[in-house]
Amino acid sequence: MVSRLGLTTRWQESPLVMESGFLIDSVSGIGRNSLKWYSLLLSAGWTLVFVVLSFWGAADIQENTREMATAEARAHFFKDNAFRLWGTDHGRIYVPVSETTQPDPYLKHIPDRDLTTPSGVQLTLINPASMIRQMKEHYGDLYGVPGRVTSLNPLRPENRPDAWEKQALARFDQGKEEAFEFTEIDGEPYLRLMRPLKVHKGCLLCHPGQGWRVGGNGGAVGVALPMGGYLEMENASIQREIAAYACVWLLGLFGLLMGYRQLAARQQAQLMAVAALTDSEARKAAIVKSALDCIVSVDAQGRVLEFNPAAERTFGYRREQMVSRDMAELLIPEESRDAHWAGIQRQLDGKTATILGERIEVTALHAAGHTFPVELTVTRENVGGEPVFTAFLRDITAARAMEEQLSYQATHDALTGLINRREFERRMNRVMDEGGREHCVLYMDLDQFKLVNDTSGHAAGDELLRQLSQMLKHEVRLSDTLARLGGDEFGVLLKYCSLAVAEKIAEGVLKVVRKFQFFWSDRRYSVGISIGVVPITGQGESLAEVMSAADAACYAAKERGRNRVQVYAPDDLELARRREEMDWVERIHRGFEEERFLLYRQAIVALGEERKNALRRYEFLVRMQDTELLSPAVFLVPAERFGLMPSIDRWVVQAAFRWLASSPEELEDLDFATINLSGHSIGDERFSEFIGNSFETFGIPPEKICFEITETAAVSNLEVARRLMLEIKQLGCRFALDDFGSGMSSFGYLKNLPVDFLKIDGSFVREMLDDPINLAMVKSINDIAQVLGKQTIAEFVESDAIREQLASMGVDFVQGYAISRPEPLPDQH
């Protein structure tokens, strides 16, 4: 360790090492580049050889093709020439006169050209040229490649030479013995070959006046050999040869590649082996220099061997000031030095190590004299038989500050600086677990706080909360815990406090808040506070029970006039009702989590047309499965009070749409189905968007859905209700006004609401046969609806007599136990 962290660092900085390192890198680079270039050149040479061989082989095949074709052409020439010589040597050849062989006018100068045999057969003289011509004309397909006789002064015009033949005849007169060319005739390749005809004595019989002499040239015989077959064989041979060359070339390249890889790997291994030690030492030196952590090495006597730049920055000493100095005197606070020396001695004595390799936090001493926290890990190595201890240290001052800040943020409210709800409940649990002592809780909710937010904005509301928080701190004891529980709600945990003392503290808070004046932008605000007081008796109550009781007491204070203190009493009926409602909130939330909500439906029947119209109509109804099946009347009241109706409405819409989408037969036979909406959903600006997205998601035709809004909800916020109806009706839906008639002001507002159905309030329908006023109300509602072009639905039809009376009035639809009881949806998931 001494050599690695001390001497080797300076050795690495020497010019010799730097130069040798550069040399090794240079040699390494040159070697790799040279091997690569040699391999590329060898591959290029190998490729060039095979290109040359390919061209050479192709040329050789072409030359062989020419030689074979020329040999065949010569054979045909010699065959024709032999035939001619045979005819010439026999002198005269006679054949019978026929349609194809008539006396030759070019031989009329010959005596005895024509003869008659004793039997009367007419014979005529024929020369060799004519015989060759006739064989070509009549037996060319059997004869092979016949020749053609020509000369510069032929007897027959058809034997006149063409341009090439003239050139060949001229060369023959100059002593040449053969002429040939490869050309095309009628688009096909041919080999044309000509050789001179030597004049024999027999030739003079037919050509006496042309100046021929025996042994001289009397013209020439040429043949035209078709080359198509030869060229096909030539191309096939060239392709086979090139393919063979390509295979050998690829195998050679593969061998070169494998050889290059092996040589490169071998060279790389050699170079790496040469540079390994230098690279390793340079890397270690670079790590020590660039490490973010402090690295300090000491020997068995505690003298500093290594002190890297990070240590210089952290401790304020230069390396030169530290090397060979006692580390404990400079870096360890005086009160910790004895423990430091004891630890080193324990290591030297071979006793069990307690901190080696462990990450611990200790206090270090700066050159300026102040202490600071560091994180420390110590290792030990033996170098040359001597122990060397290396400490890796990190200044954790910033980390400690961040940890404290995060801890503060996790337990405090960011706006007011008070304890937050989570920490408040944690402290309550701790107090409740102690037991045996009386404690109290204050649950406080500001009155009229929403007015500040609505008129002056949230910035004003935030400032109000900050000022009130500072003021409330002075109204509680030092041992108490004041917390912001959320929004404008605060809590106070009064430890070791009787209920009587808690009431006095609450009254003091109430008095201070009443006097408080808040100014913002030339406006003055006064706020109140409702306070619920709950004792913690230590009789086994839970945190949830205490907080529920405190909330109930606070809510009771608001309902009893606000700006007052309400002490919780278990026998208080109003507080019990409030707690029961809050319990319902928990049960409703659990109902969503555990999927306890169910959909039912109740039929709606058209009066007077049941037999004509087979389409179905019904209203979707929601139920909740708790300890028993609960009707909406049980859980919708607390849901309304605590703002849970929008969640229930959205669940009903999606559950109904999902069931219809999964039941195509039901959807096809459906005229319309109604779904109830609460007043909270009417005021939700994004509810119409939710409805549109649901139609798109489940593919339900909007004209099959009718939404119901109670008359009270619609009239209480007429413009908002009207806007929602228009937005949803644009999708194609219909609307019904539920419980119509209960508001007693319906007729004046009805014309402003775009509804399709009026659902007559069931309280009128149920008693209409026994109460003439109810009967008149039902009749009036139906008559007004007919005038306005709207259809009516009578609810709570519980007897056939009521049904018949409604039919006689002209009511359009009826719904109730006499028609059909609510039933669960079939195959509901």
Side-chain angles (χ1 to χ4, degrees):
M1 181 63 75
V2 175
S3 62
R4 278 191 283 175
L5 295 179
L7 300 177
T8 56
T9 301
R10 290 187 287 275
W11 180 76
Q12 287 289 337
E13 295 174 350
S14 69
L16 178 60
V17 172
M18 295 175 66
E19 183 178 350
S20 64
F22 172 78
L23 180 61
I24 290 172
D25 288 342
S26 301
V27 172
S28 174
I30 292 173
R32 284 193 294 269
N33 291 334
S34 298
L35 182 60
K36 184 183 296 183
W37 280 111
Y38 291 154
S39 299
L40 290 175
L41 288 175
L42 189 56
S43 299
W46 177 255
T47 302
L48 181 61
V49 167
F50 275 89
V51 170
V52 171
L53 288 176
S54 298
F55 278 107
W56 189 7
D60 188 52
I61 291 173
Q62 291 174 343
E63 183 63 27
N64 289 338
T65 301
R66 289 173 177 267
E67 290 178 358
M68 291 171 60
T70 303
E72 183 180 354
R74 287 174 181 156
H76 287 295
F77 166 79
F78 290 130
K79 176 188 63 178
D80 290 343
N81 195 36
F83 186 78
R84 180 187 68 83
L85 292 175
W86 179 85
T88 300
D89 289 344
H90 284 75
R92 296 170 184 262
I93 300 174
Y94 290 91
V95 296
V97 176
S98 64
E99 293 182 1
T100 59
T101 305
Q102 294 293 319
D104 190 345
Y106 296 103
L107 301 180
K108 63 183 180 179
H109 63 279
I110 299 175
D112 300 328
R113 183 192 69 177
D114 301 310
L115 298 175
T116 301
T117 64
S119 61
V121 177
Q122 296 292 324
L123 301 176
T124 186
L125 182 67
I126 184 170
N127 64 3
S130 296
M131 289 190 295
I132 292 173
R133 185 173 58 256
Q134 286 187 19
M135 277 193 254
K136 174 181 178 182
E137 292 173 355
H138 301 297
Y139 308 106
D141 55 339
L142 299 177
Y143 184 72
V145 180
R148 161 179 159 75
V149 178
T150 184
S151 68
L152 293 175
N153 186 23
L155 291 177
R156 298 176 181 276
E158 59 268 28
N159 290 339
R160 283 196 295 269
D162 58 22
W164 180 78
E165 290 172 335
K166 286 182 181 179
Q167 294 177 359
L169 290 170
R171 288 197 294 270
F172 293 158
D173 288 342
Q174 296 172 4
K176 299 293 184 182
E177 292 297 325
E178 186 177 72
F180 65 88
E181 73 165 353
F182 293 92
T183 185
E184 287 189 359
I185 302 176
D186 296 331
E188 297 294 329
Y190 279 86
L191 167 63
R192 298 183 67 183
L193 182 139
M194 287 184 63
R195 293 180 73 90
L197 288 176
K198 297 299 182 180
V199 177
H200 288 257
K201 182 177 179 180
C203 297
L204 299 178
L205 176 66
C206 298
H207 303 276
Q210 291 182 282
W212 287 6
R213 58 183 178 82
V214 176
N217 290 335
V221 173
V223 295
L225 179 69
M227 291 294 295
Y230 279 104
L231 293 179
E232 288 179 2
M233 290 188 295
E234 175 186 287
N235 290 335
S237 297
I238 290 174
Q239 290 175 3
R240 286 194 299 271
E241 184 154 328
I242 290 176
Y245 282 142
C247 291
V248 175
W249 174 72
L250 289 174
L251 288 173
L253 281 184
F254 181 75
L256 288 174
L257 177 62
M258 293 297 101
Y260 168 76
R261 287 189 174 180
Q262 290 182 359
L263 290 175
R266 221 176 266 171
Q267 183 187 58
Q268 185 66 21
Q270 292 172 350
L271 292 173
M272 289 178 64
V274 171
L277 180 60
T278 302
D279 287 346
S280 175
E281 294 300 330
R283 185 165 54 253
K284 291 172 185 175
I287 290 173
V288 170
K289 287 183 177 181
S290 61
L292 298 178
D293 288 346
C294 307
I295 300 177
V296 181
S297 294
V298 298
D299 59 15
Q301 288 73 42
R303 294 188 296 266
V304 176
L305 301 173
E306 182 56 57
F307 199 77
N308 74 338
E312 293 179 334
R313 294 190 296 270
T314 299
F315 290 95
Y317 292 103
R318 293 192 306 276
R319 183 174 184 276
E320 295 78 15
Q321 295 176 287
M322 293 297 299
V323 173
S324 300
R325 298 281 300 276
D326 187 348
M327 182 192 74
E329 294 181 358
L330 300 176
L331 305 184
I332 298 177
E334 186 174 356
E335 63 272 14
S336 302
R337 290 172 190 169
D338 290 342
H340 165 73
W341 286 115
I344 290 182
Q345 191 60 46
R346 189 163 48 250
Q347 282 293 317
L348 296 176
D349 293 341
K351 295 181 180 179
T352 303
T354 57
I355 66 170
L356 284 184
E358 298 292 331
R359 182 175 298 178
I360 60 174
E361 293 183 9
V362 297
T363 302
L365 181 64
H366 193 272
H370 65 270
T371 60
F372 59 97
V374 295
E375 188 179 71
L376 167 69
T377 302
V378 179
T379 63
R380 170 181 173 170
E381 289 191 20
N382 290 327
V383 179
E386 294 294 328
V388 173
F389 300 96
T390 300
F392 300 88
L393 305 100
R394 178 179 301 174
D395 184 355
I396 58 173
T397 303
R400 282 274 184 87
M402 178 63 69
E403 182 180 341
E404 292 173 0
Q405 181 181 357
L406 292 175
S407 175
Y408 180 85
Q409 292 175 348
T411 57
H412 288 73
D413 174 55
L415 177 64
T416 63
L418 299 180
I419 295 296
N420 60 20
R421 188 184 193 103
R422 179 180 178 183
E423 177 64 13
F424 183 76
E425 292 180 350
R426 188 186 70 81
R427 295 187 184 186
M428 279 190 63
N429 272 323
R430 188 171 59 193
V431 167
M432 294 170 67
D433 289 343
E434 293 176 0
R437 298 289 297 272
E438 185 179 8
H439 315 283
C440 289
V441 172
L442 306 185
Y443 195 98
M444 305 181 293
D445 193 335
L446 296 181
D447 301 324
Q448 305 303 324
F449 176 73
K450 187 175 184 296
L451 177 64
V452 180
N453 269 341
D454 292 345
T455 56
S456 295
H458 290 285
D462 290 347
E463 180 59 28
L464 169 61
L465 291 174
R466 278 192 288 265
Q467 292 184 19
L468 272 175
S469 299
Q470 295 305 312
M471 186 181 67
L472 291 176
K473 285 182 180 179
H474 300 291
E475 300 305 315
V476 298
R477 304 171 305 176
L478 292 177
S479 59
D480 299 334
T481 299
L482 173 64
R484 183 189 178 201
L485 304 182
D488 58 346
E489 298 175 349
F490 295 86
V492 182
L493 172 60
L494 304 170
K495 294 177 62 176
Y496 313 119
C497 181
S498 66
L499 183 58
V501 174
E503 286 187 72
K504 289 182 181 180
I505 294 175
E507 292 291 345
V509 170
L510 185 65
K511 185 183 297 184
V512 170
V513 174
R514 282 175 178 171
K515 294 179 180 180
F516 175 70
Q517 299 288 314
F518 175 67
F519 296 90
W520 184 271
S521 300
D522 299 328
R523 290 187 179 183
R524 184 179 64 183
Y525 295 97
S526 296
V527 294
I529 191 166
S530 298
I531 306 175
V533 183
V534 177
I536 302 176
T537 63
Q539 301 301 316
E541 62 265 71
S542 66
L543 172 64
E545 290 173 340
V546 172
M547 293 301 291
S548 175
D551 185 37
C554 180
Y555 189 82
K558 282 186 175 294
E559 288 193 332
R560 292 174 179 176
R562 300 178 181 271
N563 206 24
R564 59 179 292 161
V565 176
Q566 176 67 51
V567 178
Y568 176 78
D571 55 351
D572 190 318
L573 295 178
E574 180 62 24
L575 289 176
R577 180 187 64 79
R578 170 67 175 172
R579 288 196 65 182
E580 183 180 358
E581 288 180 350
M582 294 189 66
D583 289 342
W584 268 112
V585 172
E586 176 64 26
R587 292 168 73 179
I588 291 171
H589 280 302
R590 192 166 60 247
F592 280 122
E593 294 172 359
E594 299 177 2
E595 299 181 356
R596 294 185 178 184
F597 285 98
L598 303 171
L599 276 188
Y600 274 55
R601 66 178 175 183
Q602 186 176 26
I604 300 173
V605 175
L607 290 174
E609 61 175 10
E610 293 91 340
R611 296 180 181 177
K612 299 178 183 178
N613 191 352
L615 293 178
R616 306 185 67 178
R617 308 172 184 89
Y618 41 79
E619 177 183 0
F620 283 112
L621 304 170
V622 65
R623 301 286 189 268
M624 189 173 83
Q625 183 68 52
D626 199 63
T627 53
E628 58 182 344
L629 187 65
L630 303 177
S631 67
V634 177
F635 60 85
L636 290 189
V637 173
E640 283 276 2
R641 183 184 294 273
F642 292 98
L644 298 177
M645 281 309 301
S647 298
I648 294 178
D649 287 348
R650 288 173 181 252
W651 182 88
V652 171
V653 169
Q654 291 212 325
F657 282 16
R658 184 180 296 108
W659 179 76
L660 287 172
S662 64
S663 308
E665 304 85 1
E666 289 279 349
L667 189 59
E668 183 178 356
D669 295 340
L670 181 64
D671 180 11
F672 66 84
T674 68
I675 298 176
N676 291 279
L677 300 181
S678 67
H680 289 82
S681 294
I682 295 173
D684 185 350
E685 295 180 354
R686 302 188 62 181
F687 191 73
S688 60
E689 180 185 353
F690 163 75
I691 293 296
N693 292 337
S694 297
F695 276 122
E696 184 176 347
T697 299
F698 295 101
I700 304 300
E703 63 272 11
K704 291 184 178 288
I705 300 299
C706 175
F707 291 102
E708 295 187 25
I709 298 178
T710 63
E711 175 198 5
T712 304
V715 172
S716 64
N717 203 343
L718 184 64
E719 186 56 36
V720 173
R722 185 173 182 276
R723 183 169 63 249
L724 176 70
M725 288 181 178
L726 291 175
E727 289 176 355
I728 296 181
K729 281 180 71 69
Q730 286 179 356
L731 301 174
C733 304
R734 287 178 272 187
F735 264 92
L737 203 59
D738 196 12
D739 296 338
F740 189 78
S742 61
M744 301 306 293
S745 57
S746 308
F747 298 117
Y749 290 99
L750 183 59
K751 60 184 179 182
N752 295 317
L753 295 173
V755 298
D756 304 279
F757 302 96
L758 298 183
K759 296 193 76 171
I760 304 172
D761 190 357
S763 62
F764 299 135
V765 176
R766 184 188 292 116
E767 305 294 337
M768 62 182 289
L769 297 183
D770 301 322
D771 188 334
I773 295 178
N774 287 343
L775 180 64
M777 285 295 296
V778 173
K779 188 175 187 306
S780 298
I781 293 171
N782 186 67
D783 291 343
I784 290 294
Q786 301 301 329
V787 170
L788 294 176
K790 306 180 189 302
Q791 294 181 298
T792 52
I793 304 173
E795 299 180 296
F796 293 176
V797 179
E798 298 179 352
S799 68
D800 292 336
I802 295 176
R803 175 175 178 168
E804 291 172 3
Q805 182 66 44
L806 292 169
S808 67
M809 291 181 180
V811 172
D812 298 292
F813 301 96
V814 291
Q815 178 182 2
Y817 282 2
I819 310 303
S820 174
R821 288 181 174 271
E823 61 180 8
L825 297 182
D827 301 324
Q828 183 176 186
H829 301 290

